[in-house]
Amino acid sequence: MIAGKKTKTAYFCSQCGAEHLRWQGQCKECAAWNSLVEERLPTKGKSRRAASQVEHVKLSEISDHPIQGYFSGIAELDRVLGGKLLPGMTVLLGGDPGIGKSTLLLQAAEAYSARNLGVLYVTGEESLSQIKMRAARLNVGGKNISVVNATDIEDIIAVIQSSSPAVVLIDSIQTVSSGQFDSPPGTVAQVREAAQQLIRVAKEQNVALIMVGHVTKEGMVAGPKVLEHMVDTVVYFEGDSSHLYRLLRATKNRFGSVDEIGLFEMGPRGLTEVSNPSSFFLSNDASVSRVGTVVTAVCEGNRPLMVEVQALVASANYGSPQRVAGGIDHRKLALLLAILEKRCGYPMATHDVFVSVASGLRINEPAMDLPIMVAIVSSLLNKPVDHRVVVIGEVGLSGEVRGVTLSDRRVSEAAKLGFEQAIIPRANKSQISAGGMRVTEVNEIQQAIDVILG
Ligand code: TYD
Ligand code: MG
């Protein structure tokens, strides 16, 4: 884009939306490389209203009768949205392309429609016949769903005003653009402007608004991060394209907790709720003790999930040994290996180490330290870990085992699923009310290894 003499331009980061006066290689805000894009600044001047026209009300005088919200009846979705969708609430649904955002949106539309709420589904990505095909596949009848194929913000606002739906769904915000800007759709300026206008209309008309935002890795298209500060609730749809589960996670919620996740499974007929999330990630033959496989309980939000950690340790033949981490941070793996080498004397420097969290989950939780280390030593020593044992604990740099949050919830979930022994940090001892579970407290990494593999 070449700027004329009089048009003002600035450089926007397509990852976080930060504005820069000059081009530079790295964004000053989010440190992303090569993400700055030159865009024209809007030319329209803002008209200022006289101060006397602006209303102000005493906080104590604002009526506080409870607002009626909208349940979808999809429990996994409602929970993540903070219970229910409220009139005027704005939600950003982010996620990688192809993860299932449009599928979730259409299923949510059907759920609201089935509760006699008017839904307006605005798509700039698919034609009406494509939507119809998808709806047929998902068994969506849609008696209260109106579908619009539009990308112009003025058109979309006109439809919202004339049809006054309860819920508006936008798929996706990156396709919506305003004629007032010359920048192409999807650029930071366009995406921001479109979102701002939609949010204003949603608040004025008291409609609940859900906007889809694709996560973009690089390039011209602005990612959902650009909008996070503008909306009430931000939820991300995550998952691994080679696995069927999908996790819905709230990262910001003005009206509820962000400690909630929703778990879905993608099937030929769309998304279904996972009813037994805590055992969902365990393999079917979890009743066999294996070398290098340890079960742990991680907490995603407030929910305990049982997951398997697997490690494979093999002699390194040449050069520097390999470290491959799937589902956990590779720096974390390097750190845990250094602790094993230095504090326990295991010869990790001469071995290749591969660690993965089964089912392709990505987990960043301190309570995984101990199970990962036990899995590694189990593989190194070629000794199996009893499949009836669940291991939790954070490990400090001097090899001490530290307490974890929500330890009681993790242990009781494991007991419910039939695990017989829990290895927990000593610091958590007083918090555990073990129902039928043998609980062993450990203080040091070596002590845990002796108990489990001794
Ligand atoms: P989609 O909702 O179009 O993703 P997004 O809007 O996030 O880009 O979902 C795309 C993927 O989901 C696609 O690879 C096919 C798969 N899918 C199913 O497995 N089952 C289904 O019933 C549907 C509709 C899609
Ligand atoms: Mg889509």
Side-chain angles (χ1 to χ4, degrees):
M1 194 185 339
I2 301 159
K5 252 187 183 168
K6 286 209 174 129
T7 35
K8 282 196 183 152
T9 66
Y11 294 84
F12 290 94
C13 171
S14 54
Q15 302 286 309
C16 72
E19 186 178 331
H20 303 67
L21 289 177
R22 267 167 224 94
W23 189 87
Q24 56 197 62
Q26 190 182 24
C27 171
K28 65 178 179 192
E29 290 294 329
C30 69
W33 287 98
N34 243 339
S35 63
L36 297 199
V37 181
E38 183 178 19
E39 290 183 15
R40 289 185 199 195
L41 294 170
T43 44
K44 58 172 182 173
K46 286 226 170 84
S47 64
R48 292 193 59 177
R49 273 191 275 181
S52 59
Q53 279 178 280
V54 183
E55 266 185 60
H56 57 92
V57 189
K58 285 220 170 64
L59 180 57
S60 56
E61 287 165 13
I62 301 174
S63 67
D64 61 350
H65 52 82
I67 305 170
Q68 288 288 318
Y70 312 138
F71 289 103
S72 68
I74 305 174
E76 300 291 300
L77 174 67
D78 288 340
R79 177 152 18 95
V80 174
L81 291 178
K84 52 193 169 186
L85 207 53
L86 302 167
M89 176 169 166
T90 54
V91 180
L92 175 66
L93 169 63
D96 289 333
I99 202 75
K101 299 180 297 299
S102 304
T103 309
L104 179 66
L105 219 52
L106 200 53
Q107 289 185 253
E110 173 70 359
Y112 291 120
S113 148
R115 288 166 179 256
N116 282 327
L117 296 165
V119 179
L120 179 66
Y121 188 105
V122 182
T123 175
E125 307 214 326
E126 290 163 305
S127 67
L128 296 185
S129 55
Q130 279 172 319
I131 293 268
K132 184 71 192 171
M133 270 161 56
R134 190 196 285 266
R137 184 161 156 199
L138 299 175
N139 225 346
V140 165
K143 71 176 158 64
N144 294 315
I145 306 175
S146 310
V147 184
V148 188
N149 187 297
T151 55
D152 191 286
I153 184 70
E154 283 82 25
D155 293 348
I156 295 172
I157 288 176
V159 181
I160 296 175
Q161 283 169 338
S162 64
S163 63
S164 39
V167 182
V168 174
L169 309 170
I170 307 284
D171 190 9
S172 67
I173 190 66
Q174 281 122 338
T175 61
V176 181
S177 62
S178 159
Q180 285 172 342
F181 291 81
D182 338 321
S183 15
T187 49
V188 175
Q190 286 283 16
V191 165
R192 264 204 198 140
E193 174 68 16
Q196 231 150 34
Q197 293 206 32
L198 285 169
I199 290 167
R200 184 178 45 79
V201 172
K203 303 274 175 204
E204 279 170 11
Q205 307 261 317
N206 255 333
V207 299
L209 172 72
I210 304 183
M211 301 182 279
V212 163
H214 294 290
V215 170
T216 53
K217 295 283 181 280
E218 58 214 11
M220 292 281 283
V221 177
K225 282 244 169 323
V226 170
L227 304 175
E228 282 185 349
H229 62 284
M230 295 161 60
V231 295
D232 298 319
T233 301
V234 179
V235 293
Y236 277 93
F237 210 26
E238 307 169 356
D240 187 310
S241 48
S242 52
H243 291 87
L244 294 177
Y245 76 88
R246 299 286 182 267
L247 258 176
L248 193 61
R249 188 196 299 274
T251 60
K252 164 180 170 180
N253 197 345
R254 282 188 189 144
F255 304 117
S257 144
V258 288
D259 279 341
E260 298 291 359
I261 58 157
L263 195 57
F264 295 91
E265 204 171 350
M266 179 66 96
R269 300 213 153 266
L271 296 157
T272 43
E273 299 177 73
V274 173
S275 48
N276 55 343
S278 54
S279 63
F280 181 74
F281 294 104
L282 292 180
S283 59
N284 296 332
D285 59 348
S287 53
V288 185
S289 303
R290 292 175 192 282
V291 169
T293 299
V294 176
V295 176
T296 184
V298 298
C299 274
E300 283 289 347
N302 277 323
R303 272 181 155 181
L305 303 178
M306 313 301 291
V307 296
E308 277 173 6
V309 186
Q310 296 194 306
L312 179 67
V313 178
S315 321
N317 285 328
Y318 28 63
S320 49
Q322 297 209 54
R323 272 86 180 85
V324 180
I328 59 162
D329 185 14
H330 66 275
R331 281 166 304 189
K332 172 73 128 194
L333 175 59
L335 178 73
L336 299 181
L337 290 173
I339 298 172
L340 281 176
E341 173 110 29
K342 191 85 181 165
R343 303 288 168 218
C344 311
Y346 292 112
M348 302 319 308
T350 52
H351 287 87
D352 292 338
V353 179
F354 307 87
V355 171
S356 88
V357 179
S359 328
L361 267 180
R362 269 184 298 278
I363 295 175
N364 182 10
E365 231 226 322
M368 294 273 284
D369 295 355
L370 187 59
I372 293 170
M373 292 166 98
V374 171
I376 292 169
V377 177
S378 158
S379 179
L380 178 72
L381 304 180
N382 218 15
K383 287 186 178 170
V385 178
D386 192 327
H387 67 273
R388 292 163 297 188
V389 173
V390 60
V391 183
I392 53 175
E394 179 178 357
V395 177
L397 293 190
S398 52
E400 81 280 15
V401 176
R402 299 182 166 194
V404 298
T405 54
L406 303 170
S407 54
D408 190 32
R409 208 171 291 184
R410 297 175 205 246
V411 172
S412 39
E413 194 63 39
K416 227 188 276 173
L417 292 172
F419 286 86
E420 291 169 19
Q421 187 181 12
I423 312 293
I424 62 155
R426 180 154 302 158
N428 290 125
K429 184 181 173 189
S430 58
Q431 297 148 16
I432 307 286
S433 50
M437 186 89 143
R438 196 146 49 89
V439 177
T440 311
E441 305 101 28
V442 292
N443 225 1
E444 294 285 331
I445 167 74
Q446 189 61 58
Q447 195 188 349
I449 291 170
D450 294 343
V451 170
I452 301 167
L453 301 169

